[in-house]
Amino acid sequence: MRCTKTEGIVLRQLWLHIGSHKTGTSSLQRALRFAQTHQLLGDLTYARSPKSKNINNLIRVKGEGRTLRTRVNFRGLKAVFPTTGNCIASSEMFFWIHNPRQVRKLARVLKRQFDEIHIVVYLRRQDSLAISHRKQAVMRSAAEGFYGLQLSALPTYQEHFDHYFNYDQKLRIWADAFGPDSLHVRKFEKSALFKNDTVDDFFHLLGLTAPDWGEHATPPMSRKQLLVGLYQRSKGIERQEVIALIKQIEDSEKLTPSRAQALAFLDHFNDSNRRLAEMLGDKTAPQYFDMDLSRYPEVGNDNVSDAEIEQWIAAHTAPQLR
C-alpha cells in the first residue's frame, strides 16, 4: 500500500475498520498491533490510542434502550494519527453510531487529514451476532444498555434494535458521508472470507500477507457463566464482582436458543437484508446471508429458574461471601 501522487501531490489514505462486533475484531486488532511492532505493514501505520490495541476509548456509549447514544472524541481521534503517511484504524465502537450527523462530522474531520478514505465493515447475520454479542452485557455497559439483562439466549426484539441491526440503513449513512465507493462490505461467513478468516481477509484487502502472530481469541462464555452473569447484573451486583465469580464456573455447554426463537428474531430483519443484497448487488443470496438455521435445536437450553441459578452461584461462592 503506497501513497498515491497526483501532479506531484502525495495523497494520504486511511483504512478505517468499523466492526461490527463479534466478527473477529479483537483478533484483527491484535494482529495489526503485532504487524506494526514487527514492521510488517509496509508504509501503513496502525493508529491506536496509547497503551491500547485500538481506538475504542475515543467512542463512548451512554444510555439504554431507545436513549442509547454515542459520543466521539473528535479531538482525540485527530491526534491519534501521524501527520504524514497512510494509516489504518480500527474500532467496533463505530458500529454503535446511528446518527447521520455524527457520521457526517466524522467524515469532515477525517477528510481534513486524509485524501482517500476506505471504510471496511464485516457483517454477521443478526441472530448469530446477537447471541454472541449480548454476552458482553455481563462485561460491558454499552451491550447491557442495548440488550438488557433478560435471562435468555436471544434477547426479545425491541424497536431500537433496528438502529444496530438494519444493516442497509446503517451502510447508507456511511455511504452518504464518505461516498459509496469508499465502502468495503465483507460478509462474515467463512466461505466468503479470504482463507476463511477475518485477519487474513483484511490483510488481503490491503494487499498484504497476514502475519503469523498466533491465535489469542477470547474463549466464549458458557451457558452457566452467561446466565449467572445476567442474573447477578439484574440484581445489581457490581460488574467486577460478577466477572470474578463467573471465571470460577467451569462449563463447556453453550447457551443456545431454539430454532423457532432464532427464526422469530431474524424475521425482524429480513426486509433489511433483502435491501442489503440489492444495495450490494449480491445475487448469490436473496437475503444476503446464508439462511441455514439447522445448527439450532428444536428446544433451546435457556429455560432455567432463578432457584437453579442460585444453586450454581452457591456452589462457586466462598463460604465467607455467602
Side-chain angles (χ1 to χ4, degrees):
M1 187 62 57
R2 298 180 180 274
C3 292
T4 57
K5 292 186 178 181
T6 302
E7 297 181 355
I9 301 174
V10 177
L11 302 180
R12 298 186 68 198
Q13 294 183 345
L14 169 65
W15 291 83
L16 181 64
H17 169 242
I18 64 170
S20 66
H21 297 85
K22 313 311 293 183
T23 56
T25 299
S26 293
S27 293
L28 174 59
Q29 291 165 353
R30 292 188 183 105
L32 286 167
R33 184 174 180 178
F34 177 92
Q36 172 92 338
T37 301
H38 293 82
Q39 300 181 338
L40 300 174
L41 292 177
D43 66 353
L44 287 159
T45 296
Y46 178 48
R48 54 189 176 84
S49 300
K51 300 180 180 179
S52 176
K53 67 178 187 294
N54 51 42
I55 54 172
N56 283 0
N57 67 316
L58 300 178
I59 303 101
R60 298 293 185 186
V61 180
K62 292 189 176 182
E64 58 184 43
R66 288 193 289 180
T67 67
L68 190 140
R69 296 291 182 271
T70 54
R71 175 175 292 181
V72 180
N73 179 352
F74 290 105
R75 180 173 296 182
L77 183 64
K78 181 179 178 181
V80 85
F81 296 111
T83 56
T84 60
N86 297 326
C87 293
I88 308 168
S90 172
S91 176
E92 64 272 31
M93 298 296 285
F94 283 117
F95 210 77
W96 285 119
I97 301 175
H98 61 266
N99 186 331
R101 287 178 295 179
Q102 204 167 38
V103 179
R104 287 196 296 269
K105 183 174 181 180
L106 176 66
R108 290 196 300 271
V109 169
L110 293 177
K111 287 178 180 179
R112 294 189 191 113
Q113 293 178 273
F114 298 95
D115 306 288
E116 187 176 303
I117 300 173
H118 301 269
I119 306 297
V120 183
V121 58
Y122 287 82
L123 299 179
R124 184 173 181 174
R125 202 177 69 189
Q126 290 89 341
D127 57 308
S128 180
L129 192 153
I131 291 169
S132 184
H133 188 206
R134 76 181 303 262
K135 295 173 184 178
Q136 290 189 359
V138 178
M139 314 292 285
R140 303 281 188 273
S141 58
E144 178 179 314
F146 182 74
Y147 291 106
L149 295 166
Q150 183 180 352
L151 298 180
S152 59
L154 267 171
T156 299
Y157 169 81
Q158 300 171 67
E159 206 170 288
H160 68 270
F161 285 7
D162 291 350
H163 292 313
Y164 188 93
F165 288 116
N166 275 353
Y167 297 149
D168 70 308
Q169 294 179 13
K170 187 177 292 287
L171 292 188
R172 288 187 190 282
I173 291 172
W174 287 83
D176 288 345
F178 286 92
D181 292 339
S182 69
L183 262 61
H184 300 265
V185 183
R186 313 298 293 164
K187 189 184 303 186
F188 186 71
E189 293 176 358
K190 283 190 174 183
S191 61
L193 299 175
F194 182 71
K195 291 188 177 180
N196 306 320
D197 179 77
T198 298
V199 174
D200 284 291
D201 189 80
F202 186 84
F203 274 78
H204 182 69
L205 192 61
L206 298 178
L208 300 172
T209 301
D212 185 15
W213 65 284
E215 182 57 50
H216 307 289
T218 304
M221 201 176 292
S222 72
R223 173 177 177 263
K224 285 185 178 180
Q225 286 176 324
L226 181 53
L227 288 173
V228 166
L230 292 170
Y231 177 79
Q232 287 211 307
R233 284 297 298 149
S234 71
K235 301 298 181 183
I237 307 298
E238 290 294 327
R239 196 178 305 280
Q240 291 307 312
E241 186 177 337
V242 174
I243 292 172
L245 172 61
I246 62 177
K247 284 182 178 179
Q248 301 176 46
I249 299 175
E250 295 183 3
D251 174 37
S252 60
E253 188 177 11
K254 293 181 180 179
L255 186 63
T256 307
S258 69
R259 194 173 304 159
Q261 288 172 315
L263 180 60
F265 186 85
L266 192 54
D267 277 347
H268 291 284
F269 310 107
N270 282 341
D271 289 342
S272 173
N273 289 343
R274 277 191 285 268
R275 293 192 298 267
L276 178 66
E278 293 174 4
M279 174 184 175
L280 299 176
D282 190 334
K283 298 180 180 179
T284 61
Q287 295 184 37
Y288 187 66
F289 298 104
D290 180 349
M291 298 302 291
D292 180 20
L293 299 177
S294 61
R295 73 182 182 95
Y296 295 114
E298 291 297 324
V299 179
N301 62 0
D302 56 355
N303 187 12
V304 60
S305 67
D306 290 0
E308 189 173 356
I309 295 176
E310 288 284 2
Q311 289 179 351
W312 298 342
I313 295 171
H316 294 87
T317 305
Q320 65 270 24
L321 297 178
R322 292 181 187 174

